[in-house]
Amino acid sequence: MVFDRHTLVIPDNTIFHDSYIETTGDVIIGDRCLVQFGIKTEGRIFIGEHVIIDGDLSATGDIRVDIFSRIRGNVESKQNVYLGEKVTVDGNLSVTGDLDVGDSVDVKEGFEAKG
């Protein structure tokens, strides 16, 4: 399938819970999106610029959050996490791998990085 900025793709076996979306593959969220759920995946999570996520991010793979985005919950990765410039995490940040943080990143409830 060719990438198309005007198409929403929801993979098979994706489950919508009350407060989060659970899937098994990679999750890609484009620029300037509002997602009123948390995201849990066995893959990776890629988040574009100026995105708001109303919940937790949890991934077995890497998590990358681009500039000026806001996560209104916790962020947990079993691999690496990259937070771009001026990203805000309202909860706790937990990283098993490496942590790469841009300028003026705000993590409200602290963090733990083991990489």
Side-chain angles (χ1 to χ4, degrees), residues 14-26:
T14 298
I15 301 168
F16 284 78
H17 297 278
D18 289 343
S19 61
Y20 66 97
I21 301 168
E22 183 176 4
T23 190
T24 56
D26 290 350

Side-chain angles (χ1 to χ4, degrees), residues 27 39-41 43-47 56-66 71 74-84 89 93-95 98-100:
V27 175
I39 299 168
K40 182 177 181 179
T41 183
R44 301 172 295 173
I45 300 174
F46 300 95
I47 296 177
D56 298 339
L57 293 181
S58 178
T60 307
D62 293 350
I63 296 176
R64 295 186 56 85
V65 182
D66 212 341
I71 311 303
N74 300 314
V75 175
E76 178 184 5
S77 172
K78 303 286 187 215
Q79 296 292 319
N80 306 314
V81 171
Y82 166 79
L83 301 176
V89 177
L93 172 63
S94 177
V95 183
D98 295 334
L99 175 61
D100 187 5

Side-chain angles (χ1 to χ4, degrees), residues 86-112:
K86 301 212 185 233
V87 166
T88 301
V89 177
D90 289 347
N92 186 42
L93 172 63
S94 177
V95 183
T96 302
D98 295 334
L99 175 61
D100 187 5
V101 178
D103 293 335
S104 301
V105 169
D106 187 14
V107 179
K108 306 253 185 207
E109 294 184 16
F111 69 93
E112 178 182 12

Side-chain angles (χ1 to χ4, degrees), residues 3-8 30-31:
F3 180 73
D4 179 1
R5 291 185 181 270
H6 303 288
T7 302
L8 172 64
D31 298 343

